[in-house]
Amino acid sequence: MADDRQHGFATEAIHAGEIHDATGAHIAPIYQTSTFTFADMEAVEDWADGKTEAYIYSRGGNPGRKALAEKLAALEGFGLDPAGQPVAEIFASGMAAISAAIMGTAKAGNHIITQQVLYGSADHLISDVLPDFGITNSRVPGLEAAALEHELRSHQNTTAVYLETPANPTLRVIDIATTARIAHEHGAQLIVDNTFATPALQRPLSLGADVVVHSTTKYINGHGTIVGGAVVSTDSDLMENEIASLIRFTGGVPGALDCWLANLGLKTLPLRMSRHCSTAMQVARFLEDHPAIVTVHYPGLPGHPQHDVAARQMADFGAMLAFDAGSYEAATSFLNRLNLCTLAVSLGNLDTLVEHPASMTHRVVPPEQRAASGISDGLIRVSVGLEDPADIIADLDRALGG
Ligand SMILES: *Cc1c(COP(=O)(O)O)cnc(C)c1O
């Protein structure tokens, strides 16, 4: 609807894709059903002839899943030319979405190029699982332009470049527009994991990326109640012929309740992100000045090595940060002394979650590779929540022995 594009981002977050069914229910019902009925055989024939559209079976499609996909596509496509509006598909997890995005763009015999530091399970998928299916990979530490071009020239069978920015857990920032341009010059597509930033802060499709993936488990749902994922793309051929078929035939579909919860969470995304970001900036400044801390990694701090890139491609700097407590022992005693902040993996929840990559999310990564990726033994990752900033800071300060 051309009309919708005159609305702002927060309005789209609330209204895009919403179901208004015949009952007049204000909030969409949860279509908690595995199958859908046909009135009679004529309805079957009409559907088979393409005269009518129908829901048949919830692996193929469910109204709540479609509604969530439409809302997320509207947000990732916000500001794009109406002709370039993306399509989305919702998955049972972020990893199901990432697998589909990669398998949709790379087949046996193809190559993908990615950065050094990645979300742990994406790292494992790319380096240990996909090679068994004939999809090889190579790494360029920060996808630096010259090195990436060299890698693309040495692997003519590259069909996709995969990046994550800001990256987990070191908050390294990668230039999306430059990477997209270089990938395209060599006939490869660009996939961007937009989980940390969300479309409220960063819209990779408008910077030239072809595919966006999300773990909706995180900020999209925002309340820590589900595991979910999404693929969004402006490439309709890829979406119709590859992604739609991958979700249907590998079957990583989300449940109706999970879609409903993610849709509900997404409505407050702009509001939550704005508060998440302002609190994270306060926490980052506090940590930066703290004598017990060696380094703070937050793209919003002017000293962050890619601060300029972040300022150019993000509307704000997000609420993920990491800092180096100095050693494994210092990190352990800090974590044991936290009171308000929660010791847990995952991120993007209402409350502040703190974790230790070396012993938790990146435990399986060999120590040499962790070191090469900048994951020191003292590194602590913080997902800054929506509590009062002073309370978060006081808890961190106390745990740091301040
Ligand atoms: C959590 C996460 C994933 C994986 O998502 P799941 O929903 O856990 O499968 C991928 N990328 C990033 C950046 C994440 O934070």
Side-chain angles (χ1 to χ4, degrees), residues 113-184:
I113 298 173
T114 184
Q115 73 216 50
Q116 181 63 44
V117 64
L118 282 178
Y119 178 77
S121 297
D123 196 309
H124 189 82
L125 171 76
I126 290 168
S127 50
D128 294 318
V129 178
L130 293 176
D132 289 346
F133 296 88
I135 301 170
T136 53
N137 71 89
S138 51
R139 306 289 178 114
V140 173
L143 294 174
E144 294 83 356
L148 175 60
E149 295 212 34
H150 176 266
E151 206 58 31
L152 281 157
R153 272 197 300 273
S154 338
H155 298 277
Q156 302 278 345
N157 57 340
T158 305
T159 50
V161 174
Y162 180 90
L163 75 78
E164 186 183 305
T165 185
N168 179 49
T170 60
L171 283 306
R172 174 158 199 158
V173 173
I174 313 265
D175 186 327
I176 298 173
T178 305
T179 311
R181 180 180 52 73
I182 297 170
H184 293 162

Side-chain angles (χ1 to χ4, degrees), residues 93-96 98 119 164 168 193 195-196 215 217-218 227-228 347:
S93 70
M95 287 314 303
I98 291 169
Y119 178 77
E164 186 183 305
N168 179 49
D193 182 335
T195 300
F196 271 29
S215 168
T217 312
K218 316 295 167 51
V227 169
L347 56 110

Side-chain angles (χ1 to χ4, degrees), residues 340-366:
L340 176 73
C341 301
T342 306
L343 177 61
V345 301
S346 200
L347 56 110
N349 287 3
L350 300 181
D351 53 329
T352 300
L353 300 183
V354 184
E355 70 108 4
H356 181 224
S359 64
M360 297 167 77
T361 48
H362 293 68
R363 194 181 187 105
V364 294
V365 179

